[in-house]
Amino acid sequence: MRFTRHSLALAALTLAAAAQAQISGNTVKVGVLTDMAGPYSGMGGAGSVVAAKMAVDDCLKAECKGMKIEVVSADHQNKADIAATKAREWLDRDGVDAIADITNSAAALAVQKLVREKGGIAMYSGPATTRLTDEDCAENGFHWMFDTYSSASGAAAALTKNGDKSWYFVTVDYAFGHSLEKDASEMVKAHGGTVLGSVRHPLNASDFSSFILQAQNSKAQVIGLANGAQDTVNAIKAAREFGITGEKGQKVASLLMFLTDVHSLGLRQAQGLMFSEGFYWDMDDKARAFAARFEKLHKGYKPTMVQAGVYSSVLHYLKSVAAAKSDDSKVVATMMRKLPIDDPVMRNASIRPDGRVIHDMYLFQVKAPNESKGAWDYYKTVSTIPADVAFKPLAQSACPLVKK
């Protein structure tokens, strides 16, 4: 049989149309559900939307060439009911195929319950609770960047092993804080330490004086901050006002810090703090190139690990849609587990059966002002925590997707 140039072109168009027909509405829609104006807006927020759009642009130049892709966004205001309502609208009415970021653990758990019932893909790079890949896991839910276990495996383990054995926690009073305190407490005890107590505070607290005073009066060697973002910044400022600098026998350990928190504090107040993160803009050439692009698009800010996680998760999702030639959530979820994760953000990454994306984590310490060589040069690397150590062992998982 002889093929003309016209017949070959027609065949190619037919194949393209057939592939496109497997995409509902002929458009792949990604929703970024995040905190746009509250305490977590710096680590996620508008920067997460920028990161998602970067992922779209990169995929359209390669695996996703010819696809129609749209990014929408919404503010969940750190309220689980608002997050669930918006996610339901997106899935039922607006044709959204995947939801990314979902900063705030309570909001994330509400979305996880919804996607488990209704379909769609959820990719969590902002929340921290391990419940998302433990008892509340889902075949179509993926926890991308960090969690409370990986955060505790950094500073809590390192400080306790180095002799700071007694701890007292200042904890934000909702799912994220509870999970972080629990995982850190277990890590402290596993390394021969003791927990003397804890005090809980509301999300977005403005005055930490009473909480820090209780922690100081405990006489614990370490005051562990089981909170995040602006709450962490405010707690550290209060600790400095009370003279807790490490020189009087007590240390402040932030179990979860973001680049924007250090930027807000400044090196003079943040110097010496230790914590673990999954991404730092200056860790290697690939990360620096990614961060330089992001910085131009987001008001001169370098990306946090949450924003980097949004980029990585959206890019991997889109590659999986392109490979599957479908946006059916079951098909795409299977493909996401098959395809290797390859991007400027993740190192040694893979997806486990429980939906946990494991990858190398890093223990960082904030530089002193005289150690910094310029803008955003805030961290020095203490150690690399390998992917198979950084996250909760699969054998300990309560996820029903995990075969025992």
Side-chain angles (χ1 to χ4, degrees):
M1 182 180 291
R2 186 178 179 184
F3 294 97
T4 65
R5 183 179 298 176
H6 175 74
S7 64
L8 288 170
L10 184 61
L13 287 171
T14 302
L15 286 172
Q20 192 71 15
Q22 301 300 312
I23 305 296
S24 56
N26 292 329
T27 302
V28 179
K29 293 184 75 172
V30 177
V32 179
L33 188 56
T34 186
D35 175 4
M36 285 293 192
Y40 301 143
S41 56
M43 71 187 199
S48 287
V49 181
V50 168
K53 290 180 177 178
M54 287 176 64
V56 172
D57 290 343
D58 287 353
C59 200
L60 285 173
K61 294 172 185 175
E63 293 90 347
C64 300
K65 191 171 291 185
M67 289 171 56
K68 294 180 180 178
I69 307 171
E70 182 181 349
V71 174
V72 297
S73 62
D75 185 355
H76 58 45
Q77 300 174 43
N78 290 296
K79 296 179 180 178
D81 57 340
I82 292 177
T85 298
K86 175 51 67 175
R88 188 181 299 275
E89 288 176 0
W90 276 352
L91 295 170
D92 286 347
R93 185 190 68 190
D94 299 336
V96 169
D97 300 292
I99 305 174
D101 188 341
I102 325 176
T103 296
N104 184 294
S105 291
L109 289 168
V111 172
Q112 182 87 319
K113 181 180 179 181
L114 188 68
V115 298
R116 196 164 49 234
E117 296 170 356
K118 303 185 72 65
I121 298 286
M123 301 172 293
Y124 308 99
S125 61
T129 178
T130 53
R131 286 173 55 186
L132 291 166
T133 53
D134 206 10
E135 64 265 36
D136 293 304
C137 69
E139 289 184 356
N140 50 341
F142 300 90
H143 203 167
W144 215 262
M145 181 52 76
F146 69 102
D147 58 26
T148 53
Y149 187 97
S150 67
S151 296
S153 70
L159 288 171
T160 309
K161 284 190 289 186
N162 286 339
D164 295 308
K165 298 292 187 180
S166 61
W167 286 65
Y168 188 95
F169 291 97
V170 177
T171 304
V172 63
D173 193 12
Y174 79 104
F176 153 58
H178 303 166
S179 183
L180 185 53
E181 180 187 323
K182 176 179 179 292
D183 285 335
S185 296
E186 291 177 356
M187 196 69 67
V188 167
K189 293 172 184 176
H191 289 91
T194 58
V195 176
L196 302 184
S198 67
V199 61
R200 292 180 173 177
H201 66 83
L203 176 65
N204 207 18
S206 57
D207 185 0
F208 275 81
S209 298
S210 64
F211 310 120
I212 293 299
L213 183 60
Q214 288 184 61
Q216 188 176 39
N217 289 339
S218 74
K219 307 300 182 183
Q221 290 172 288
V222 183
I223 298 172
L225 302 181
N227 50 24
Q230 193 58 46
D231 282 333
T232 299
V233 170
N234 290 340
I236 291 170
K237 288 180 177 178
R240 297 298 190 238
E241 290 172 4
F242 276 84
I244 302 171
T245 62
E247 298 170 3
K248 296 184 178 181
Q250 282 185 307
K251 296 179 180 177
V252 175
S254 174
L255 299 174
L256 182 62
M257 283 285 282
F258 299 94
L259 188 67
T260 43
D261 301 336
V262 177
H263 187 72
S264 177
L265 280 166
L267 292 182
R268 191 167 299 280
Q269 290 203 76
Q271 61 182 308
L273 289 171
M274 292 177 63
F275 47 87
S276 58
E277 286 207 47
F279 173 84
Y280 178 49
W281 72 269
D282 198 27
M283 58 198 233
D284 58 31
D285 288 342
K286 289 198 298 183
R288 282 187 283 273
F290 166 74
R293 292 173 53 209
F294 180 92
E295 185 178 18
K296 291 178 181 178
L297 297 169
H298 190 50
K299 304 176 183 178
Y301 277 72
K302 296 292 188 184
T304 65
M305 70 167 165
V306 171
Q307 293 154 351
V310 170
Y311 170 86
S312 175
S313 62
V314 172
L315 181 60
H316 188 70
Y317 166 75
L318 293 174
K319 288 179 179 179
S320 299
V321 171
K325 297 181 172 59
S326 171
D327 62 351
D328 179 270
S329 59
K330 290 185 178 180
V331 175
V332 176
T334 299
M335 185 61 71
M336 288 177 72
R337 286 179 167 86
K338 287 182 179 179
L339 288 183
I341 298 174
D342 182 20
D343 60 50
V345 170
M346 294 295 209
R347 305 291 177 271
N348 299 319
S350 60
I351 302 177
R352 299 193 316 197
D354 58 353
R356 176 67 258 176
V357 179
I358 63 168
H359 54 94
D360 289 349
M361 294 287 291
Y362 306 90
L363 181 62
F364 293 114
Q365 186 171 35
V366 178
K367 292 181 175 182
N370 63 353
E371 294 176 305
S372 176
K373 298 177 182 177
W376 299 99
D377 179 25
Y378 297 155
Y379 297 178
K380 52 187 175 184
T381 304
V382 177
S383 62
T384 298
I385 308 170
D388 59 350
V389 174
F391 296 91
K392 185 176 180 178
L394 198 58
Q396 298 177 16
S397 177
C399 172
L401 302 173
V402 177
K403 295 179 180 179
K404 298 294 186 179

